[in-house]
Amino acid sequence: MNGVHDLGGMHGMGPINPEPQEPMFHEAWERTVFGLFMTTFAGGHFNVDEFRHAIERMDPAHYLQSPYYAHWLHAMESLLVERSALTRQEIDGRMAQLAEAA
Amino acid sequence: MPDTHEDDIALRVRAIESLLIEKGLVQPAALAAIVETYETKIGPHNGAQVVARAWTDPAFKARLLSDATAAIAEMGFSGVQGEDMVVVENTPAVHNMVVCTLCSCYPWPTLGLPPNWYKSAPYRARAVIDPRGVLNEFGVDLPPDKEVRVWDSNAELRYLVLPERPPGTEGMDAAALAALVTRDAMIGTGTVAAGQGAAQ
């Protein structure tokens, strides 16, 4: 797929800015997403190629603007919904519930 | 979606996590154990041991360069995202550097999870079109006559750079050498110096 993820050779992306002493996860949610990916992947809900393709299906502007583990979240959520493990209604409902409780 | 605010993302993650646990699709204990393994056991200290052994054991080095997957498995560093490994050797004439232009492919069993810059648009875009410029940003200044080879990883194949053993380390054993080997030297965005270290 020839999409925005195919970044090799593109100009204008700016400096790399490696972060010294970088933590493995920058936010608690990133740690959770990694764990959820590993367990749902091990559970056979999708394979690596399907997962990467689901990242490549992201809206290009969202892809470039979102943090790395948001790509994982997007791909995992898309695949779990497409395979009927979860529904959009369930996710939206639970988000509203959690926001209310906060 | 798309959520761009971190709080919204965190809320979505909590919602999905709680639903998956409720439905029995994710076991919290298994999730915690997997994450902890990556936080404590799997990381560049594994790759550093492979490099140090290659520097001190010529027969191992020959096996590593001809069938890296099998040679690395001898040391017990196999598994997800390391199923098919290739080791590329730096020499006085050649410097190797690894990227994944399409995403974030990286040899997890030997290096752990990749740093953010490796997965970022600037590194992925520029590593293949301006590798010397990228290396300068990492403080690596190669002589102009040294060839630079850039290897683009993919979902099936992962690369590990075997850095040059620094001068002044002739008397050191594998354990002492491993302490000098940095993560970036095994990606190829760094080199190993006698006084430096170490892979976390």
Side-chain angles (χ1 to χ4, degrees):
Chain A
M1 184 169 155
N2 186 15
V4 69
H5 63 278
D6 192 357
L7 284 165
M10 212 176 270
H11 290 116
M13 291 294 173
I16 295 162
N17 294 330
E19 180 184 341
Q21 307 300 319
E22 182 182 334
M24 186 167 292
F25 302 107
H26 289 75
E27 304 286 340
W29 68 263
E30 296 186 345
R31 191 174 185 274
T32 308
V33 167
F34 175 74
L36 289 173
F37 163 79
M38 292 297 281
T39 43
T40 50
F41 171 72
H45 292 276
F46 45 81
N47 67 36
V48 162
D49 296 320
E50 291 166 331
F51 186 72
R52 201 189 56 244
H53 181 239
I55 292 177
E56 293 170 2
R57 288 189 275 140
M58 284 177 76
D59 169 77
H62 182 212
Y63 178 89
L64 288 174
Q65 288 174 337
S66 48
Y68 176 76
Y69 281 107
H71 300 179
W72 281 35
L73 171 64
H74 178 94
M76 185 170 61
E77 179 177 349
S78 301
L79 291 165
L80 290 170
V81 168
E82 285 163 14
R83 276 115 210 242
S84 309
L86 297 176
T87 67
R88 292 260 168 246
Q89 291 74 9
E90 285 174 326
I91 297 167
D92 292 346
R94 184 58 54 91
M95 283 178 73
Q97 234 175 43
L98 290 171
E100 189 113 328
Chain B
M1 294 213 263
D3 301 320
T4 43
H5 196 278
E6 293 268 345
D7 291 346
D8 296 335
I9 300 176
L11 187 66
R12 182 173 295 278
V13 173
R14 281 177 55 211
I16 292 173
E17 179 188 26
S18 68
L19 288 166
L20 288 172
I21 291 171
E22 240 169 61
K23 288 166 181 262
L25 299 174
V26 164
Q27 310 300 326
L31 187 152
I34 289 174
V35 175
E36 201 191 318
T37 300
Y38 280 88
E39 285 180 329
T40 58
K41 294 199 174 67
I42 302 176
H45 54 276
N46 293 351
Q49 290 179 54
V50 174
V51 168
R53 182 159 172 209
W55 284 345
T56 52
D57 178 346
F60 177 76
K61 180 178 166 184
R63 293 201 296 283
L64 186 67
L65 294 176
S66 66
D67 183 351
T69 312
I72 291 169
E74 283 176 37
M75 300 188 69
F77 307 134
S78 302
V80 178
Q81 310 295 309
E83 292 91 346
D84 199 351
M85 291 289 302
V86 169
V87 169
V88 287
E89 182 186 16
N90 284 351
T91 68
V94 176
H95 181 87
N96 294 284
M97 175 174 150
V98 181
V99 64
C100 176
T101 60
L102 293 176
C103 189
S104 54
C105 292
Y106 191 76
W108 289 9
T110 40
L111 294 186
L113 302 181
N116 251 354
W117 59 258
Y118 183 87
K119 306 177 284 195
S120 73
Y123 182 73
R124 289 160 52 193
R126 280 176 50 216
V128 287
I129 200 168
D130 179 25
R132 285 177 195 272
V134 167
L135 288 169
N136 281 337
E137 240 177 86
F138 281 88
V140 178
D141 197 11
L142 299 176
D145 59 342
K146 189 160 189 159
E147 183 187 342
V148 179
R149 292 183 188 164
V150 181
W151 302 85
D152 199 352
S153 314
N154 61 58
E156 279 77 37
L157 195 59
R158 310 293 162 104
Y159 298 95
L160 184 77
V161 174
L162 175 57
E164 286 182 87
R165 180 171 173 167
T169 59
E170 290 74 13
M172 293 170 74
D173 65 11
L177 287 166
L180 301 177
V181 180
T182 61
R183 176 195 69 201
D184 289 4
M186 295 181 279
I187 302 173
T189 53
T191 55
V192 181
Q196 82 184 40
Q200 304 94 326

